[in-house]
Amino acid sequence: MQINICNRFWFIEDNNYNKMMTSKYWEEEIETMPRPQLEKLQVERLKKTIAIASNSPYYKRVFAEHGITPDSIKHIEDIRKIPFTTKNDMRANYPFGLVAGDMLNDGVRIHSSSGTTGTPTVIVHSQHDLNSWANLIARSMYSTGVRKTDVFQNSSGYGMFTGGLGFQYGAERLGALTIPAAAGNSKRQIKFIMDFKTTVIHAIPSYAIRLAEVFQEEGIDPQSTTLKRFFIGAEPHTEEQRRKIERLFNIKAYNSFGMTEMNGPGVGFECTEQFGMHIWEDCYVLEIINPETEEPVPDGELGEMVLTTLDREMMPLIRYRTHDLTRIIPGDCPCGRTAKRIDRIKGRSDDMFIVKGVNIFPMQVEKVLVQYPELGSNYLITLCNEDQDEMIVEAELNELSTDNFIELEKLQKKIARQMKDEILLTPKIKLVKRGSLPQSDGKAVRVNDLRKNK
């Protein structure tokens, strides 16, 4: 397979397109590149990234304060000479203080985070940046077995949310027939799946399970469709939840990782091995640090992920603290790809809440609840402190009647005991009727913190 390099962007020649579609890899040369060669490429691209970033007001100031130039980088470990970039830095320089390119002449799109917790973070892209991003998503989809003969349905929100347009352009670059269904309207999603013979769908995990429930409500077996693959991401989820999706639809569900600041989806993706998400290191530098000491941790140890863009012209980000907690999976992947793999995201360092001195992540609660077939997919954690901190877990029942008090009490006690083993304290368990908790077509809201002194 012939691959050319044009500046920092890898592309496949059109006359090799059909040959590539029968290959195991989207870009074999770069996906199987030996580690020493890959790290050499990273150093070259990091130098260029620093040169580009120095044109932005923010990085120009940071580099001057710390004496950083492209020549500061001899080895990839030298990236630690550069200070971290944080969400607060982006907000303080809102909207365009980190833009390094000629935005008026070369900028073609703006994406931003939701901004629900403050000023949104803004990313400006050039056409090169969008081409590179689309290629990474095509590479990601291809690594799971998707080919141009597939029918891809995207149930993500379009607009400023990157999951919509990102997957749209990536799927089109791969050559798949693409259905921009957008988020919500489950009955319409099902109609599209059935009528258009969808084979691949992208959805957040909580919505994937909700979609299976709507299938059943409509009297349709979710296993009777043409679906073969689910792409799930955008919210933390457990391995149990992934396997539940696979059982409900009788398909394979692949974990993905992305974030607006790093383009969106396509930063990391599982291959057919389904054992960790490959971070595409030709376009990103991956670091895992202790979030308190800010020092690197060994492979295999949990920490906060830090990412640096290597193939973005308009607005590169260097050593961006994601707050996502994960670990590098040691060893080589049987698929033959040499890019490092990260484990599923355990949660965010800023999602963690503390009850009676115990650190808890919502995913730990979900890990317990998903094991009970009596329960539906929806739950809510409420924290309050009238006298002392109290944790209440409300979980919707599946088919069990809420009038069967003896069975309900047994189930509540069983869940409470297992919850104590998982999170080291006993929450109050409330089992409620199906459909009684708030539903969301977007990211599920799992924690309602009503404490006065959080």
Side-chain angles (χ1 to χ4, degrees), residues 44 74 113 123 152 238 311 350 366 388 390 414 417:
E44 293 172 358
K74 307 297 183 185
S113 66
I123 299 295
F152 172 71
T238 61
D311 194 27
D350 49 2
E366 181 177 292
Q388 58 179 346
E390 183 179 20
K414 188 176 180 181
R417 285 195 299 269

Side-chain angles (χ1 to χ4, degrees), residues 353-360 388-391 424-426 451:
F353 56 88
I354 301 174
V355 179
K356 298 178 181 179
V358 179
N359 297 342
I360 302 171
Q388 58 179 346
D389 280 0
E390 183 179 20
M391 178 177 169
L424 305 180
L425 58 83
T426 305
R451 293 175 294 181

Side-chain angles (χ1 to χ4, degrees), residues 101-324:
D102 185 345
M103 189 171 64
L104 294 181
N105 285 312
D106 299 325
V108 296
R109 191 192 301 169
I110 293 176
H111 278 287
S112 78
S113 66
S114 61
T116 54
T117 58
T119 303
T121 54
V122 171
I123 299 295
V124 184
H125 296 279
S126 68
Q127 189 60 57
H128 166 92
D129 301 338
L130 295 183
N131 290 343
S132 176
W133 179 21
N135 188 66
L136 287 182
I137 297 178
R139 183 196 297 178
S140 299
M141 296 175 69
Y142 196 92
S143 71
T144 70
V146 177
R147 298 295 183 265
K148 66 181 299 183
T149 52
D150 277 290
V151 179
F152 172 71
Q153 185 164 323
N154 194 5
S155 67
S156 287
Y158 283 67
M160 301 302 274
F161 179 61
T162 55
L165 288 170
F167 264 102
Q168 179 75 28
Y169 280 77
E172 289 177 356
R173 184 172 185 84
L174 190 149
L177 179 62
T178 305
I179 307 166
N185 199 336
S186 299
K187 292 182 181 180
R188 185 184 66 173
Q189 299 280 354
I190 292 171
K191 180 173 177 58
F192 288 168
I193 291 170
M194 303 301 290
D195 292 352
F196 302 154
K197 308 301 181 186
T198 303
T199 59
V200 186
I201 191 168
H202 173 229
I204 61 175
S206 57
Y207 184 65
I209 293 177
R210 173 59 185 156
L211 194 61
E213 293 173 350
V214 178
F215 262 104
Q216 294 164 347
E217 291 167 4
E218 294 296 299
I220 304 172
D221 181 358
Q223 297 189 8
S224 67
T225 73
T226 52
L227 286 174
K228 297 178 182 178
R229 296 174 182 82
F230 252 93
F231 296 148
I232 53 176
E235 65 182 11
H237 60 283
T238 61
E239 180 64 15
E240 290 80 4
Q241 189 175 10
R242 185 250 284 272
R243 296 306 177 191
K244 182 176 181 179
I245 293 169
E246 292 188 327
R247 289 193 304 271
L248 286 169
F249 289 93
N250 191 28
I251 48 83
K252 287 291 186 180
Y254 295 93
N255 291 322
S256 67
F257 171 78
M259 60 192 315
T260 300
E261 293 85 351
M262 291 294 117
N263 289 345
V267 178
F269 227 88
E270 282 186 322
C271 62
T272 52
E273 297 294 327
Q274 288 188 301
F275 186 52
M277 294 173 282
H278 290 279
I279 296 292
W280 303 124
E281 292 182 272
D282 55 311
C283 293
Y284 300 98
V285 177
L286 167 68
E287 301 175 78
I288 306 292
I289 65 168
N290 182 313
E292 296 181 359
T293 66
E294 300 183 347
E295 292 298 318
V297 301
D299 288 0
E301 185 173 318
L302 187 71
E304 179 185 344
M305 179 163 47
V306 175
L307 291 169
T308 297
T309 64
L310 292 178
D311 194 27
R312 206 156 70 188
E313 291 181 340
M314 184 58 58
M315 190 175 166
L317 287 182
I318 300 174
R319 303 199 79 196
Y320 183 73
R321 294 191 61 167
T322 69
H323 291 293
D324 287 308

Side-chain angles (χ1 to χ4, degrees), residues 236-237 302 324-326 343-348 361 363-364:
H237 60 283
L302 187 71
D324 287 308
L325 300 174
T326 185
D343 207 344
R344 65 176 53 257
I345 305 300
K346 179 179 179 181
R348 290 177 56 82
F361 292 93
M363 285 182 64
Q364 292 176 281

